Amino acid sequence: MAREGSTGVPIGSIIRFVLSLVTGSTGFLGSRLARVLAARGDRVRALARATSDRRRLAGIDVELAEGGVTDAASIAAACAGVDRVFHCAAVYEIGAKDPVKMRAVNVGGTQTVLRAAAERRILSVHVSSVVALGPTREGQLADESHWTGDTPRSPYEATKREAHSIARSMARAGARIRIAMPVTIYGPDDPSLTGETHKWIARGAMRVGALANMAMTLVHVDDCAEALALVAERGKDGGEYIVAERSVTFREWFTLAARAAGRKPPSMWLPDAVVRGLSRAAAVAPPVVREGLAMSMDARWAFRGDKARRELGWTPRPLEDGLRETMQWYRSG
């Protein structure tokens, strides 16, 4: 029997936990978000395809909803009774093997999820990316007002920009949508090229570096997940928030990571002229090399997360601390 409060109303009838739906729940960021939400007291419904590897959800109290973001019927069912939707699902791949599938998920899936939520007046947090905003210029540390007219350098960049535009247009039309724009996410067990780089550094195998002065911006995966929760709790409808801890050069990043792993940083850095020569010959290179060089040559990705700190009370860990934890994980693996 439910206990009664001082009003004589059964406590069980007045306490209602928030139900949050997480798409992309089996991924690197989505699974960390599910853990953060569960720890904050949310009931978590995790959308997962039947074929998804669910190991990252082990030990997290979630309700599984089978389906995918391109299946409108499964999204509608997953949204039943939901208070908030966190749309993390995306195909992230440099040198995409199937650009058509990437667009179907990143663009079509975003439209399906956000439309289903909007029709039910459910608050949505759309996880975009700073790649949607476009690269930054020399000496610039960009904020949420940044938006370039540059031609996208890869299918990933193009699809994230299109999805971002959809979310922004729906928000302007009155949908309860808030947009988070993470920078490069890192952390233990990272399946991306960033994770592979950390693995090489942890093994002491990163002896030659390139693009020493290229700017990039990093955030730890757990801090990114925390920021998404705060966007839902404290953000504004139609608001856009860059999720960034610090901008560094490649040389600074590799040096900090090597120091955290107890290894030596690259002993040699290829001159930019050599890298430019490689980029001109990239037509014969594998797609991942072609797109990686296209997104890197003469481009910078330097962003600031001041708005999220100021408006959401977000306090990410310093890069040195995050890399120390990450490199220890890779050293012990």
Side-chain angles (χ1 to χ4, degrees), residues 23-291:
T23 73
S25 65
T26 60
F28 182 49
L29 175 59
S31 59
R32 300 298 185 107
L33 174 60
R35 188 178 299 278
V36 164
L37 294 173
R40 293 167 90 87
D42 281 22
R43 291 169 52 213
V44 180
R45 183 175 293 165
L47 184 73
R49 289 176 290 111
T51 56
S52 293
D53 180 356
R54 302 175 185 179
R55 68 178 179 84
R56 294 180 186 274
L57 293 174
I60 308 174
D61 185 12
V62 299
E63 167 195 336
L64 283 169
E66 193 166 292
V69 296
T70 59
D71 178 2
S74 69
I75 293 300
C79 283
V82 163
D83 300 291
R84 306 185 301 198
V85 172
F86 293 87
H87 180 46
C88 298
V91 175
Y92 172 55
E93 185 180 7
I94 305 301
K97 299 180 182 66
D98 189 348
V100 174
K101 177 183 177 182
M102 175 180 280
R103 188 174 187 279
V105 173
N106 293 0
V107 180
T110 294
Q111 195 162 39
T112 298
V113 171
L114 297 186
R115 181 177 293 163
E119 288 172 351
R120 295 160 177 79
R121 293 300 296 165
I122 299 170
L123 169 65
S124 299
V125 176
H126 170 56
V127 182
S128 182
S129 166
V130 292
V131 303
L133 307 182
T136 59
R137 307 305 181 208
E138 183 73 32
Q140 180 184 22
L141 195 58
D143 62 15
E144 287 77 3
S145 65
H146 181 72
W147 186 270
T148 72
D150 293 14
T151 300
R153 294 161 170 78
S154 70
Y156 178 69
E157 191 176 336
T159 57
K160 292 302 285 186
R161 173 169 287 202
E162 190 173 353
H164 189 107
S165 296
I166 289 170
R168 180 179 280 179
S169 295
M170 290 180 66
R172 287 174 177 168
R176 296 203 63 209
I177 296 173
R178 303 169 187 179
I179 302 176
M181 297 167 285
V183 292
T184 298
I185 303 170
Y186 73 96
D189 199 18
D190 177 359
S192 74
L193 185 57
T194 303
E196 285 297 307
T197 301
H198 285 154
K199 186 187 299 183
W200 298 335
I201 293 174
R203 292 174 177 172
M206 185 68 72
R207 306 310 307 149
V208 178
L211 302 173
N213 297 313
M214 177 186 158
M216 65 178 298
T217 313
L218 293 154
V219 66
H220 191 281
V221 63
D222 289 336
D223 295 327
C224 186
E226 181 74 16
L228 300 184
L230 289 172
V231 168
E233 293 173 5
R234 304 177 185 176
K236 298 176 182 177
D237 290 356
E240 302 189 11
Y241 304 88
I242 291 175
V243 182
E245 197 281 315
R246 193 189 316 173
S247 176
V248 292
T249 64
F250 267 38
R251 186 190 298 274
E252 291 168 335
W253 169 33
F254 284 17
T255 299
L256 287 172
R259 185 180 300 155
R263 300 292 191 181
K264 292 181 179 179
S267 56
M268 183 176 76
W269 287 85
L270 296 178
D272 286 356
V274 172
V275 181
R276 283 193 179 87
L278 291 173
S279 70
R280 287 193 289 270
V284 296
V288 65
V289 176
R290 288 201 305 271
E291 286 188 14

